[in-house]
């Protein structure tokens, strides 16, 4: 288990005590693992834009949709905080952004100024997608 998932395990324990259960954590962990497996080889090869342009496997998208509510979002926030690689961070951002909510938009906005250009660009695309889904346009 990678370091980010150890942190998420602590969150999952906390969430399970308030009725969320381990099913959420298992889905979030599987989604993160699947996303990182797809993207990490390209990031390691220095091809960040190509990594981020790859569509995620349908199974990963389904898991992200199944965890797209407040508690799932918190798990992805923890994964982002603990991320050690671009793949881990961008996967947490993308999977967490499936939950359409103002808190998610604020979270994504916090990454727009990232010193890591691929992370900032990815956060911008995800924020624009969120805003479009609710009929709003991103400020320029």
């Amino acid at each position: 288990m990678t370091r980010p998932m150890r942190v998420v395990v602590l969150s999952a324990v906390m969430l399970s005590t308030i009725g969320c259960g381990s099913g959420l954590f298992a889905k979030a962990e599987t989604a993160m693992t699947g996303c990182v497996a797809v993207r990490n080889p390209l990031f390691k090869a220095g091809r960040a834009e190509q990594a981020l342009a790859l569509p995620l496997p349908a199974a990963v998208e389904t898991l992200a949709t199944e965890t797209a509510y407040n508690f799932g979002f918190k798990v992805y926030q923890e994964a982002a905080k603990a991320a050690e690689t671009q793949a881990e961070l961008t996967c947490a951002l993308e999977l967490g952004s499936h939950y359409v909510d103002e808190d998610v938009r604020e979270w994504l906005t916090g990454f727009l100024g990232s010193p890591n250009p691929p992370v900032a660009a990815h956060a911008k695309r995800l924020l624009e997608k969120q805003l479009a889904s609710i009929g709003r346009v991103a400020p320029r």
Side-chain angles (χ1 to χ4, degrees), residues 66-86:
E66 291 173 359
T67 58
Y69 54 97
N70 191 282
F71 291 132
F73 170 57
K74 291 188 183 314
V75 172
Y76 294 120
Q77 279 183 303
E78 290 297 321
K81 284 179 191 173
E84 294 179 340
T85 68
Q86 284 179 306

Side-chain angles (χ1 to χ4, degrees), residues 20-28 67:
C20 193
S22 62
L24 168 76
F25 172 71
K27 288 179 182 181
T67 58

